[in-house]
């Protein structure tokens, strides 16, 4: 098999491509080029999106010096990175996080941001006592900061510990010790009372001779969450607000069932007692007959006797008589004692913090929504029962009725109608866009189908040969329909077709016969003419 030269192959491929391109109309070529361009653009976008790495945090909450050193090392190593949170967070491709952390640890970075007990590893034997104590304090504060930062929602923290000086020869070492914690939260997050209490006890348990009551906790907004004389996490305020919300919800639910929604305004202000009170009560238990029951626990008896002879002592009244131990007589004395107790009961009641001391409830109802047959007195009685009003402890209930303003409701209705109209118009615009796109696609498909049909009809019909043209010219024509018997043939390009050149040469060579045949056609005698 003979090999085809490369030039011939290229020429053949070029001719094949030209023939293939010549089979398309202008519209088909435009659509094909647009489709190829769209595919290429989509492929480029897909490759760019898939080739873009996903970044993950390498280090967060960095000091400026550490951030500068880490970025310099990443640049020298050729590792791409991104900065966020005002430069305190460095992000690298997710696949390189573990490798870069090991590389940074080998380089001793970050050096200032992670302060902990590892700081004591750099202590030398020549360090003074003051330096050792300062380093220990910094290490302890760093460990506590890392532990507090691990709490969910905490962005960063700063712990300051006030330790007394180490006085070995002091008479007393009862110097005060305290600590303060400043917590910066993630936007939208707050510390609960349990989390604040956990921070207080965590710091108090980590520092020697530090009681949890001496730990002060505050957030970055300046809110005092815990401290000496302050309830941990402002738990009293939270409990009071929770109680007010519960009572308000009960009253609003009761009034909503009668008046309907948004026809009552309820305000609750309660005062809760957070004092821990122990009450001890002693009482005597009665017996079966209703009288106090008693029982003896101890009984004792003593007896004294005397026996003697002689004259008993005595004399006339008002005279001094000398007593002489003479005479006879007997003396006997008996005595007894019993210790009895009654049945007593001692009861100690411990009052839990958060009991209600008093509450005031203000209720305003819409008089226009008051149903027929329902009086304000009935509503007031129901609200008092729902809120748990106790006048004996000083509770108050302010109940009033007046028509509510409808301006806000009308404005809300207008806003809702405008929003609905905007949404409807937006939906119509979207549907119109979809319809226009669909019509454009249908029109493009119709044009492509029409151009393809024309191309197929042109290929099927093709140019007529000279013999077909002569046979068509020799067909008889009926008198009434001079052109009905002639087939519909496309126009012949006689200047370029070989068959047209043959017909022209035939006419030029035999003009008389052609003229005779044409005269016969015109006279209605198709048989006349040249054979």
């Amino acid at each position: 098999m003979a090999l085809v030269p490369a030039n011939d192959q290229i020429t053949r491929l070029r001719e094949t491509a030209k023939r293939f391109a010549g089979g398309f109309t202008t519209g088909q070529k435009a659509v094909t080029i647009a489709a190829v361009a769209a595919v290429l653009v989509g492929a480029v976008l897909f490759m760019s999106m898939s080739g873009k790495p996903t970044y993950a945090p390498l280090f967060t909450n960095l000091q400026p010096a550490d951030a500068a050193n880490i970025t310099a090392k990443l640049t020298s190593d050729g590792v791409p990175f991104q900065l966020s949170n005002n430069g305190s967070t460095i992000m690298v491709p997710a696949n390189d996080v573990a490798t870069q952390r090991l590389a940074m640890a080998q380089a001793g970075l970050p050096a200032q941001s992670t302060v902990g007990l590892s700081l004591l590893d750099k202590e030398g034997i020549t360090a003074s006592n003051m330096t050792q104590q300062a380093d220990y304090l910094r290490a302890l504060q760093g460990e506590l900061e890392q532990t507090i930062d691990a709490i969910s929602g905490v962005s960063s923290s700063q712990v300051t510990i006030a330790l007394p000086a180490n006085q070995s020869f002091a008479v007393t070492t009862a110097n005060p010790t305290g600590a303060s914690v400043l917590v910066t939260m993630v936007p939208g997050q707050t510390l609960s009372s349990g989390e604040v209490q956990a921070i207080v006890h965590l710091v108090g348990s980590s520092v020697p001779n530090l009681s949890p009551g001496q730990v002060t906790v505050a957030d970055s907004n300046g809110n005092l969450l815990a401290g000496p004389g302050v309830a941990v996490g402002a738990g009293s305020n939270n409990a009071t607000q929770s109680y007010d919300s519960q009572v308000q919800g009960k009253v609003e639910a009761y009034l909503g069932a009668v008046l309907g929604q948004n026809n009552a305004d309820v305000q609750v202000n309660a005062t809760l007692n957070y004092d821990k009170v122990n009450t001890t009560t002693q009482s005597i238990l009665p017996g079966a007959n209703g009288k106090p029951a008693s029982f003896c626990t101890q009984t004792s008896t003593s007896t004294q006797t005397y026996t003697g002879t002689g004259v008993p002592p005595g004399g006339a009244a008002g005279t001094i008589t000398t007593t002489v131990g003479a005479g006879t007589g007997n003396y006997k004395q008996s005595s007894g004692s019993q210790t009895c107790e009654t049945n007593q009961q001692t009861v100690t009641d411990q009052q839990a913090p958060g009991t209600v001391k008093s509450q005031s409830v203000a209720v305003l109802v819409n008089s226009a929504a008051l149903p027929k047959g329902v009086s304000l007195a009935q509503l007031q009685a129901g609200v008092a029962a729902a809120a748990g009003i106790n006048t004996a402890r000083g509770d108050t209930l302010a109940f009033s009725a007046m028509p509510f303003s409808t301006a806000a409701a009308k404005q809300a209705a207008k806003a809702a109608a405008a929003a609905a109209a905007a949404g409807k118009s937006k939906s119509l615009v979207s549907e119109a866009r979809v319809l226009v796109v669909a019509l454009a696609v249908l029109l493009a498909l119709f044009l492509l189908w029409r151009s393809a049909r024309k191309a197929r009809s042109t290929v099927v019909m093709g140019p007529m040969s000279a013999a077909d043209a002569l046979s068509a010219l020799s067909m008889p024509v009926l008198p009434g329909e001079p052109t009905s018997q002639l087939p519909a043939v496309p126009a012949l390009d006689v200047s370029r077709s070989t068959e047209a050149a043959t017909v022209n040469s035939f006419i030029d060579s035999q003009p008389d016969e052609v003229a005779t045949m044409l005269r016969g056609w015109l006279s209605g005698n198709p048989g006349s003419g040249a054979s």
Side-chain angles (χ1 to χ4, degrees):
M1 181 178 180
L3 297 177
V4 180
N7 295 331
D8 295 343
Q9 292 181 355
I10 294 175
T11 304
R12 185 178 301 175
L13 291 176
R14 187 178 300 171
E15 292 177 355
T16 303
K18 287 182 179 180
R19 287 196 302 270
F20 179 77
F24 289 92
T25 62
T26 305
Q28 291 176 340
K29 292 179 181 179
V31 173
T32 304
I33 294 174
V36 172
V39 171
L40 292 177
V41 171
V44 171
L45 291 177
F46 176 76
M47 292 176 64
S48 62
M49 293 298 293
S50 61
K52 186 177 181 180
T54 302
Y55 285 83
L58 179 64
F59 293 108
T60 59
N61 300 325
L62 292 173
Q63 299 295 332
D66 287 337
N69 294 332
I70 293 175
T71 53
K73 181 169 177 55
L74 291 175
T75 303
S76 63
D77 295 342
V79 179
F81 63 90
Q82 293 179 353
L83 297 178
S84 60
N85 296 333
N86 297 324
S88 62
T89 300
I90 299 178
M91 305 181 69
V92 298
N95 297 331
D96 298 336
V97 171
T99 304
Q100 292 304 316
R101 283 182 180 175
L102 293 176
M104 295 302 165
Q106 185 178 4
L109 295 174
Q112 299 179 5
S113 301
T114 56
V115 178
L117 293 177
S118 59
L119 183 65
L120 301 179
D121 297 338
K122 303 178 182 180
E123 288 286 344
I125 59 175
T126 59
S128 62
N129 187 17
M130 181 179 296
T131 303
Q132 293 178 356
Q133 187 174 6
D135 290 343
Y136 170 73
L137 186 60
R138 288 181 56 198
L140 184 58
Q141 291 176 166
E143 290 290 338
L144 289 175
E145 289 173 358
Q146 294 180 18
T147 305
I148 295 174
D149 292 345
I151 298 176
S152 177
V154 177
S155 176
S156 62
S157 62
Q158 182 177 356
V159 180
T160 303
I161 302 174
L163 284 178
N166 189 7
Q167 301 176 357
S168 303
F169 299 98
V171 177
T172 177
T173 59
N175 294 331
T177 302
S180 63
V181 181
L182 179 63
V183 181
T184 301
M185 302 299 299
V186 175
Q189 299 289 333
T190 57
L191 285 176
S192 63
S193 59
E195 292 173 340
V196 175
Q197 188 176 4
I199 293 176
V200 169
H201 286 279
L202 177 67
V203 176
S205 301
S206 302
V207 180
N209 301 325
L210 177 61
S211 62
Q214 299 298 322
V215 179
T216 302
V217 181
D219 59 8
S220 57
N221 296 325
N223 299 321
L224 184 62
L225 304 179
V230 180
V232 175
S236 58
N237 295 332
N238 294 335
T240 302
Q241 294 176 1
S242 177
Y243 178 81
D244 293 345
S245 300
Q246 290 179 1
V247 176
Q248 181 178 352
K250 292 179 180 179
V251 176
E252 288 179 348
Y254 171 76
L255 294 176
V258 180
L259 305 176
Q261 299 297 327
N262 301 325
N263 285 315
D265 183 50
V266 181
Q267 300 294 331
V268 180
N269 185 12
T271 301
L272 304 184
N273 184 9
Y274 294 95
D275 297 334
K276 188 176 181 180
V277 180
N278 294 331
T279 303
T280 302
T281 304
Q282 291 184 352
S283 60
I284 299 176
L285 298 178
N289 54 0
K291 296 181 179 181
S294 61
F295 55 91
C296 297
T297 59
Q298 185 177 2
T299 302
S300 62
T301 303
S302 63
T303 302
Q304 295 180 355
T305 58
Y306 171 76
T307 302
T309 58
V311 180
T319 61
I320 299 174
T321 305
T322 302
T323 302
V324 181
T328 60
N330 296 324
Y331 172 77
K332 183 177 181 181
Q333 181 181 2
S334 298
S335 62
S337 64
Q338 290 182 343
T339 302
C340 299
E341 296 181 358
T342 58
N343 291 335
Q344 295 182 353
Q345 183 181 15
T346 302
V347 179
T348 301
D349 294 331
Q350 182 176 358
Q351 183 178 355
T355 57
V356 180
K357 294 178 62 176
S358 63
Q359 65 175 344
S360 59
V361 180
V363 178
L364 177 63
V365 299
N366 186 8
S367 59
L370 189 65
K372 295 182 179 180
V374 179
S375 62
L376 294 178
Q378 293 175 343
L379 283 180
Q380 184 174 359
V383 169
I389 299 297
N390 186 2
T391 56
R393 66 183 179 190
D395 296 351
T396 57
L397 173 61
F399 192 89
S400 58
M402 61 183 64
F404 282 11
S405 175
T406 59
K410 292 181 180 179
Q411 186 176 2
K414 290 182 180 179
K424 186 176 181 180
S425 62
K426 186 176 181 181
S427 177
L428 291 177
V429 170
S430 178
E431 292 177 358
R433 289 178 180 176
V434 174
L435 181 60
V436 169
V437 172
L439 291 177
V441 172
L442 292 177
L443 181 59
L445 293 176
F446 173 74
L447 293 177
L448 290 175
W449 172 79
R450 184 177 180 182
S451 60
R453 183 179 180 184
K454 288 183 177 180
R456 287 195 301 270
S457 63
T458 303
V459 173
V460 171
M461 296 296 297
M464 296 183 66
S465 61
D468 294 336
L470 291 176
S471 62
L473 290 175
S474 61
M475 291 179 65
V477 180
L478 298 179
E481 298 176 354
T483 60
S484 60
Q485 299 297 325
L486 295 178
V489 296
L492 299 178
D493 190 358
V494 298
S495 62
R496 298 180 182 179
S497 177
T498 305
E499 292 80 1
T502 304
V503 173
N504 291 335
S505 62
F506 174 77
I507 294 174
D508 292 338
S509 62
Q510 299 180 0
D512 296 335
E513 287 80 2
V514 173
T516 303
M517 183 176 59
L518 292 176
R519 282 196 298 272
W521 288 350
L522 293 176
S523 62
N525 187 9
S528 63
S531 60

